[in-house]
Amino acid sequence: MTLQQVWMESLLSEPVRPVRAAERSTSCGCDDNGRPDHHDRLLRVESDIGELVELLEMAVTWGELDWSRSEVVPPHRWVDFALCHSWKDPATMERIFSLATDVAARSAAGTGRGVDAIGV
Ligand SMILES: [Zn+2]
């Protein structure tokens, strides 16, 4: 089993941690609310360094792993996700999600799947 497979399994098996009521997707009407677990994890990127690392790991490995059966918000949605939610530091969050999107696109391009692959 490769390190990436171990990471993928840990990501998919990680229990959903409690979130504050203000962060719950049930009160969010955005386009990504249909993937509530990942949606809520993305909301924690600003306050939880572990979630930020998970986002960047997902971006780096986006072109190498098969996410087609995972209920995740795909990279082509990450900038819109940042723009559609409230943050303490909106400019920095837009930069983080934009950077992650660029990394995912480069990861997909590196596999020969092309930039369009970031849109599952
Ligand atoms: Zn939302």
Side-chain angles (χ1 to χ4, degrees):
M1 180 176 285
T2 67
L3 181 60
Q4 289 165 345
Q5 288 170 322
V6 170
W7 172 77
M8 179 72 170
E9 286 193 7
S10 72
L11 178 71
L12 295 176
S13 64
E14 184 170 311
V16 177
R17 288 174 283 173
V19 295
R20 289 176 292 181
E23 295 177 336
R24 294 185 61 87
S25 61
T26 53
S27 63
C28 184
C30 78
D31 291 342
D32 297 307
N33 203 18
R35 304 168 178 108
D37 290 345
H38 193 231
H39 173 279
D40 290 355
R41 292 184 68 178
L42 291 178
L43 285 178
R44 292 193 297 266
V45 165
E46 186 175 40
S47 59
D48 183 338
I49 193 72
E51 293 294 353
L52 173 59
V53 172
E54 294 282 347
L55 173 65
L56 295 177
E57 285 177 339
M58 177 183 282
V60 168
T61 59
W62 187 261
E64 303 166 22
L65 302 175
D66 180 8
W67 295 93
S68 63
R69 288 173 292 175
S70 303
E71 289 293 319
V72 297
V73 178
H76 78 277
R77 294 279 321 142
W78 290 347
V79 172
D80 282 343
F81 184 91
L83 296 174
C84 291
H85 294 88
S86 297
W87 309 97
K88 293 176 189 167
D89 185 346
T92 297
M93 294 311 295
E94 185 178 347
R95 287 178 65 196
I96 288 171
F97 280 99
S98 179
L99 172 66
T101 300
D102 187 52
V103 169
R106 290 169 189 259
S107 173
T111 64
R113 292 169 54 202
V115 174
D116 291 340
I118 65 171
V120 180

